[in-house]
């Protein structure tokens, strides 16, 4: 790997501040860039000096120039978008980041635009537009549920569906939900909170309450889906790794005419009791040959929460790989011993 330098000059100091953000944010941008590309940045006035892996200079320059375009349009990229921008431009050097970040799925009641923030999210949004059954699989914080709720609200507003049904398995309560005190909503509310949070981010709270009273939005545990046919509905099953095979089959066979279903989950976060097998893993295997079923996978680089969460996800993924390698080494050692 050759180490060289290259100077980039921006028109003015403000342009550079638009690209890199505040001093604390700029440190994160520099850190993420160097980790993703091996290229470091030295900033002085309106000038940036690239140093490090010269083979990635063009890639970094394209990213910085497109970050500048985004910032001048009034929608600056976040420091957490750096690795995602690199991913997009590495896969397609001629790509325009605006095609991803300007794909507005929904504008909230507060005026905030909801759009994909990574290549994986862009593919996920396109899959939900083009398929009746979509699986979104990956770690927490990657926007799987949030974007699914946004798509559901979008289809409802466009009158493509008549209602939204949000569901999760309430496994901690087991089969004893009926013995818990309070109304159905009070019993299941703790399990449904992430779905409520997504709705309240997108719609006025009073409107959500009114739509729930009218049955336009329904939030219910998975057990209450049995025996129903879900026509003209946008159905979201969240935390699907905690479904059994029977529960997953039950839900997927509820899909009715004019309906869309999104199933989200993280196979590494299974909370099923004992030796119970996850219905999510089973569904991904048995449905893999159906062309109208789409599977979208997310990784740690797609995490949209605090930058620290990305680091935590990466650390756990690294530990998972190391443990898998050690298990394989032990297996190989045992196989060699038995053959001697």
């Amino acid at each position: 790997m050759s180490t060289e330098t290259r100077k980039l000059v921006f028109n003015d100091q403000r342009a550079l501040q638009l690209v890199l953000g505040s001093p604390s944010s700029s440190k994160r941008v520099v850190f993420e860039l160097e980790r993703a590309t091996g290229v470091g940045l030295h900033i002085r006035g309106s000038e940036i000096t690239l140093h490090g892996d010269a083979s990635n200079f063009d890639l970094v320059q394209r990213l910085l120039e497109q970050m500048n375009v985004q910032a001048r349009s009034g929608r600056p990229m976040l420091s957490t978008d750096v690795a995602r921008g690199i991913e997009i431009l590495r896969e397609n050097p001629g790509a325009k980041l605006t095609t991803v970040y300007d794909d507005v799925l929904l504008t909230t009641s507060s005026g905030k635009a909801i759009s994909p923030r990574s290549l994986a999210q862009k593919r996920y949004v396109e899959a939900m537009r083009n398929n009746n059954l979509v699986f979104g699989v990956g770690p927490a914080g990657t926007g799987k549920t949030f974007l699914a709720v946004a798509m559901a609200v979008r289809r409802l507003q466009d009158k493509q569906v008549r209602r939204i049904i949000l569901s999760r398995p309430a496994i901690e309560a087991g089969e004893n939900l009926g013995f818990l005190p309070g109304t159905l909503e009070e019993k299941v509310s703790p399990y449904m909170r992430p779905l409520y949070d997504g709705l309240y981010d997108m719609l006025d709270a009073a409107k959500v309450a009114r739509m729930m009273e009218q049955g336009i939005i329904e939030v219910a545990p998975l057990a209450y889906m049995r025996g129903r046919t879900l026509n003209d509905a946008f159905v979201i099953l969240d935390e699907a790794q905690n479904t059994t095979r029977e529960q997953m089959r039950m839900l997927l066979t509820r899909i009715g005419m004019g309906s869309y279903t999104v199933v989200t989950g993280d196979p590494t976060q299974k909370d099923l009791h004992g030796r119970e097998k996850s219905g999510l893993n089973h569904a991904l295997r048995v449905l893999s040959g159906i062309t109208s079923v789409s599977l979208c996978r997310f990784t740690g680089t797609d995490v949209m929460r605090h930058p620290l969460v990305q680091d935590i996800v990466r650390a756990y993924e690294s530990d998972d790989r190391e443990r898998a390698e050690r298990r394989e080494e032990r297996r190989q050692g045992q196989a060699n011993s038995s053959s001697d």
Side-chain angles (χ1 to χ4, degrees):
M1 179 183 75
S2 61
T3 301
E4 300 177 14
T5 62
R6 175 187 296 181
K7 292 187 185 298
L8 302 178
V9 179
F10 285 78
N11 294 331
D12 53 53
Q13 182 75 27
R14 180 175 173 273
L16 193 55
Q17 290 173 347
L18 284 171
V19 171
L20 299 176
S22 65
S24 60
S25 177
S26 67
K27 288 180 181 179
R28 185 73 193 189
V29 170
V30 171
F31 175 76
E32 290 292 344
L33 268 175
E34 190 158 9
R35 174 158 60 181
T37 66
V39 176
L41 305 184
H42 177 73
I43 306 161
R44 184 176 181 179
S46 60
E47 184 178 274
I48 295 179
T49 301
L50 310 183
H51 57 87
D53 184 359
S55 65
N56 282 325
F57 280 179
D58 288 343
L59 177 63
V60 172
Q61 182 172 345
R62 285 197 304 273
L63 177 69
L64 293 173
E65 289 172 347
Q66 293 207 38
M67 288 176 72
N68 187 31
V69 171
Q70 283 284 119
R72 286 181 174 278
S73 71
R75 298 186 59 199
M77 291 173 60
L78 306 174
S79 60
T80 49
D81 291 329
V82 170
R84 302 173 197 120
I86 287 291
E87 176 195 3
I88 294 168
L89 295 175
R90 191 171 263 148
E91 180 171 311
N92 181 3
K96 300 295 184 185
L97 297 182
T98 53
T99 62
V100 175
Y101 301 129
D102 288 352
D103 181 6
V104 177
L105 182 59
L106 184 73
T107 300
T108 68
S109 56
S110 63
K112 178 185 175 182
I114 298 174
S115 60
R117 303 299 295 182
S118 72
L119 199 57
Q121 285 197 351
K122 173 71 171 176
R123 291 168 177 156
Y124 184 48
V125 168
E126 289 299 324
M128 290 190 289
R129 284 178 175 141
N130 298 321
N131 295 276
N132 290 86
L133 176 57
V134 176
F135 287 86
V137 177
T142 51
K144 306 181 301 295
T145 303
F146 187 77
L147 286 175
V149 173
M151 179 61 78
V153 173
R154 174 80 273 162
R155 288 200 182 275
L156 183 67
Q157 290 179 344
D158 291 343
K159 302 189 185 306
Q160 295 174 342
V161 296
R162 291 188 295 108
R163 54 186 173 151
I164 297 173
I165 299 174
L166 310 174
S167 185
R168 297 179 104 198
I171 65 164
E172 292 87 346
E175 294 299 319
N176 298 318
L177 270 176
F179 295 98
L180 295 176
T183 65
L184 170 62
E185 183 175 346
E186 291 170 338
K187 292 174 184 179
V188 303
S189 181
Y191 308 104
M192 304 293 118
R193 178 50 53 190
L195 298 174
Y196 285 117
D197 290 345
L199 282 173
Y200 291 138
D201 277 344
M202 296 169 205
L203 297 170
D204 178 80
K207 186 173 184 179
V208 172
R210 187 165 60 252
M211 294 171 82
M212 293 183 72
E213 289 175 2
Q214 296 169 346
I216 298 172
I217 295 177
E218 178 181 350
V219 183
L222 181 59
Y224 288 79
M225 297 296 108
R226 188 174 301 278
R228 303 176 59 182
T229 301
L230 307 175
N231 293 321
D232 299 315
F234 196 108
V235 183
I236 299 173
L237 172 61
D238 194 30
E239 298 291 344
Q241 75 275 3
N242 290 329
T243 62
T244 64
R245 294 182 179 185
E246 293 75 18
Q247 287 174 324
M248 179 65 76
R249 183 174 182 173
M250 178 270 292
L251 177 81
L252 296 181
T253 54
R254 300 302 97 200
I255 299 174
M257 299 298 294
S259 289
Y260 302 88
T261 301
V262 178
V263 178
T264 69
D266 179 2
T268 68
Q269 297 293 316
K270 182 171 71 75
D271 296 316
L272 290 169
H273 302 299
R275 300 172 63 86
E276 195 83 63
K277 299 292 185 181
S278 171
L280 176 60
N281 292 334
H282 181 250
L284 294 177
R285 179 171 59 82
V286 301
L287 302 179
S288 61
I290 302 177
T291 56
S292 57
V293 176
S294 179
L295 168 61
C296 298
R297 293 192 181 275
F298 296 85
T299 67
T301 60
D302 300 302
V303 172
M304 299 292 148
R305 295 176 180 168
H306 191 282
L308 177 61
V309 179
Q310 286 190 355
D311 296 335
I312 292 171
V313 170
R314 288 190 185 104
Y316 274 99
E317 289 178 342
S318 176
D319 181 67
D320 289 342
R321 287 193 298 270
E322 290 174 2
R323 288 191 290 126
E325 290 169 0
R326 288 197 295 270
R327 285 195 299 269
E328 180 61 20
E329 288 173 0
R330 288 196 297 269
R331 191 187 68 78
Q332 290 287 354
Q334 292 169 355
N336 292 337
S337 298
S338 61
S339 63
D340 291 340

